[in-house]
Amino acid sequence: MHVGTLARPVERAEEQPAAWDLVHAAQEGDTAAFGALYDRYVDVVYRYVYFRLGDRELAEDITSETFLRALRRITSVSYQGRDVGAWFITIARNIVLDHVKSSRYKLEIVTDEVSESGSAPFAGQTVPDGGPEQQAVSSATRDALLKCVAELGEDQRECIVLRFIQGLSLTETARIMKRNEGAIKALQHRAVRKLAQLLPPTWR
C-alpha cells in the first residue's frame, strides 16, 4: 500500500455504473467482485487515513479494518446517488474518529512522503513539465502548501483534504462530514481564507 497520486478524485462519474455493478455482484456473494472493489479503492482509503493520522502502520491497519467492515455491511449499502469510494471513506473516517477518541491521537498531514510522490497536492492541479529548476519550484510549492494545510484546525483540514486532495464533491464531503452543503461551503471558505493567511507573503 502506498500514498499514490494525490490528484486522482475518488471516482469519476463515468466509473460509477461499473463500481456499483461490482457492489451488486458482491451483495450476491461474488467474492471476486469484492476483491475488485478492494483493488480499486485500497489506495484511496489508505491515502485518506494516512493524511489524517500520519502513521504508516496504523494507516494500513485501519485500511484493512475498513474493508473488513465494508464486507460485513456490503448487503446493506444502496446507491442513493452516492459514490462507492465515498462509502469506503465514510467507514474509514468513523474508525479514525474512534481511534482519535480512544487515544487522543493528534491528527496531522504528513508532508515528506507526499512530496516524494511528485504529484500535485490538489485534485485537478498538474505539475508542469520542466527542467530541474521548475521541478524544484514545484516541490517547494507542494511542501509549503501541505505544511500550511497541516496548520489548519481539524475540521478545516479535513474539509480541504476531502475537497481538494481527495477530489470529492461538495455533496460527498457534506455526507462524510455529516453536515449540510451550506456548512461545508462556509467551512471551505474559512479554510481557504486561513490558508491564504498562512502562505508565505510572496505568494499572496
Side-chain angles (χ1 to χ4, degrees):
M1 251 179 291
H2 53 82
V3 174
T5 178
L6 301 180
R8 177 186 172 225
V10 168
E11 191 78 87
R12 292 187 295 271
E14 62 270 20
E15 293 177 337
Q16 277 300 301
W20 278 100
D21 286 345
L22 289 172
V23 171
H24 295 148
Q27 289 173 335
E28 296 297 322
D30 186 341
T31 56
F34 190 84
L37 286 168
Y38 177 89
D39 291 340
R40 179 177 291 204
Y41 295 110
V42 63
D43 282 349
V44 170
V45 172
Y46 173 80
R47 186 168 63 242
Y48 170 76
V49 177
Y50 187 70
F51 266 116
R52 293 296 307 275
L53 299 178
D55 183 308
R56 183 194 302 273
E57 290 187 7
L58 183 58
E60 290 181 351
D61 289 345
I62 290 179
T63 298
S64 297
E65 176 62 20
T66 296
F67 284 93
L68 286 173
R69 289 194 188 184
L71 181 59
R72 290 197 295 267
R73 300 174 185 176
I74 194 71
T75 56
S76 65
V77 65
S78 59
Y79 176 60
Q80 298 178 340
R82 64 175 161 176
D83 178 308
V84 177
W87 177 61
F88 284 115
I89 287 180
T90 298
I91 296 172
R93 179 178 188 262
N94 290 335
I95 298 172
V96 167
L97 292 176
D98 288 344
H99 175 79
V100 171
K101 288 176 184 175
S102 65
S103 67
R104 296 183 181 177
Y105 201 97
K106 183 177 182 294
L107 300 185
E108 59 185 18
I109 288 182
V110 175
T111 60
D112 54 354
E113 293 198 16
V114 170
S115 298
E116 288 173 10
S117 72
S119 55
F122 297 104
Q125 179 180 343
T126 57
V127 177
D129 294 328
E133 296 84 0
Q134 181 60 56
Q135 291 174 9
V137 169
S138 295
S139 178
T141 299
R142 284 194 304 274
D143 288 350
L145 278 172
L146 290 167
K147 285 176 182 176
C148 289
V149 171
E151 293 181 32
L152 295 174
E154 181 181 333
D155 284 349
Q156 291 182 356
R157 183 166 62 241
E158 182 170 26
C159 181
I160 292 295
V161 168
L162 291 172
R163 291 283 288 122
F164 302 115
I165 296 179
Q166 294 294 90
L168 284 175
S169 69
L170 186 69
T171 300
E172 292 294 351
T173 300
R175 285 176 177 166
I176 288 173
M177 295 190 71
K178 298 179 180 178
R179 300 186 184 187
N180 62 47
E181 292 186 20
I184 295 299
K185 282 183 181 179
L187 183 62
Q188 178 180 311
H189 176 73
R190 291 195 299 271
V192 170
R193 187 167 61 181
K194 181 65 174 178
L195 274 178
Q197 295 170 354
L198 292 170
L199 287 171
T202 53
W203 285 32
R204 301 175 191 170

